Amino acid sequence: MQDQATESTGSIRRSSTSSRTRKKKKNQLPAGFAVVILIVLVGLFLGTKNGMLALFWTFGCIFGFILQKARFCFTASLRDPCITGSTSVTRAVLIAFAITTIGFTAIKFGAFASGQAIPGQSYIMPISLATVVGGILFGIGMVIAGGCASGTLMRVGEGFTMQMLSLLFFVIGSLIGAGHMGWWTENFIAAAPRIFLPDVFGWAGAIALQLAIIGLLYVAADLYEKKKMGITE
């Protein structure tokens, strides 16, 4: 009993000593206020040069804040189900796809119905084997780097050294790709078909089909997580 009491007293002393030597967390409020003031000053400065620059700066800061707080990453949406079984980010991405599908369809159909040129048609890219190969290579790169473009930028802002290295080579690879894009387009991409779903299924059919596919993927992701986590209703 005496030995137990001595051991207990020793553990209490060690615990109290470690708590005293533990460093207090630094107050980050001054740094936070300084960053906010800096953001506002930069926005005002850009506004004196060009109103659009200030708008881009504002939306960029807001978008970065949302990404950081939501931990939103396209890589995680495909990686997490395989590693942890969680599909929360996967389902968030699918919800984002559904919302953007409705929004962009409304914009495009509004222009079509009023007889105006449909915006964004130049971004309908040809679908070919190059699309599949490029997607696989980019997916492999995302997993190795630990993040997609948005996730990499978010973690660079958080100070992750590895993501800074990833961002550097992301820029280098993009510059090399842009320099050689003309050759790839001429030899592999230009001859491939461009598919605009409203031309195939009509406007109502296109949005219904796309939302149905997104909905089925959402249900499948939810069932997959429940199965992996052993959740029973």
Side-chain angles (χ1 to χ4, degrees):
M1 294 293 291
Q2 186 176 359
D3 292 340
Q4 292 179 353
T6 303
E7 184 179 351
S8 176
T9 304
S11 63
I12 293 173
R13 288 176 180 174
R14 287 193 298 270
S15 176
S16 61
T17 303
S18 62
S19 63
R20 285 197 303 269
T21 57
R22 188 180 301 160
K23 293 182 180 180
K24 292 183 178 180
K25 292 183 178 179
K26 293 181 179 180
N27 187 359
Q28 296 181 337
L29 281 178
F33 282 119
V35 170
V36 171
I37 292 173
L38 179 62
I39 290 173
V40 174
L41 291 176
V42 172
L44 292 175
F45 173 75
L46 293 176
T48 60
K49 302 295 182 180
N50 189 322
M52 290 302 296
L53 290 178
L55 184 64
F56 291 155
W57 172 257
T58 302
F59 274 99
C61 292
I62 294 173
F63 188 62
F65 179 81
I66 294 173
L67 279 178
Q68 198 274 333
K69 291 301 179 183
R71 313 305 299 172
F72 189 88
C73 180
F74 287 97
T75 303
S77 69
L78 300 174
R79 179 192 62 210
D80 289 354
C82 300
I83 296 177
T84 66
S86 173
T87 61
S88 58
V89 180
T90 309
R91 285 176 280 136
V93 169
L94 290 172
I95 292 173
F97 283 165
I99 294 173
T100 53
T101 295
I102 296 171
F104 280 109
T105 301
I107 294 172
K108 289 177 178 290
F109 180 74
F112 172 78
S114 61
Q116 301 176 6
I118 301 175
Q121 294 301 95
S122 60
Y123 292 99
I124 301 175
M125 303 303 294
I127 299 177
S128 65
L129 181 61
T131 308
V132 178
V133 174
I136 292 174
L137 291 176
F138 190 73
I140 293 173
M142 285 197 303
V143 173
I144 294 175
C148 57
S150 57
T152 298
L153 290 173
M154 173 189 70
R155 291 182 177 87
V156 166
E158 292 179 330
F160 282 82
T161 307
M162 176 62 186
Q163 302 309 121
M164 295 179 186
L165 185 63
S166 299
L167 179 61
L168 172 63
F169 284 96
F170 194 109
V171 173
I172 293 173
S174 298
L175 291 174
I176 294 174
H180 293 82
M181 190 64 188
W183 183 86
W184 289 101
T185 300
E186 181 180 351
N187 292 278
F188 293 96
I189 300 174
R194 298 172 184 263
I195 300 177
F196 185 52
L197 290 182
D199 290 340
V200 181
F201 301 101
W203 288 94
I207 191 172
L209 175 64
Q210 184 149 318
L211 290 178
I213 293 174
I214 293 173
L216 290 174
L217 290 173
Y218 186 95
V219 172
D222 186 49
L223 294 175
Y224 178 87
E225 178 175 321
K226 290 178 179 178
K227 181 179 179 181
K228 284 290 184 178
M229 300 297 184
I231 300 174
T232 56
E233 297 181 355

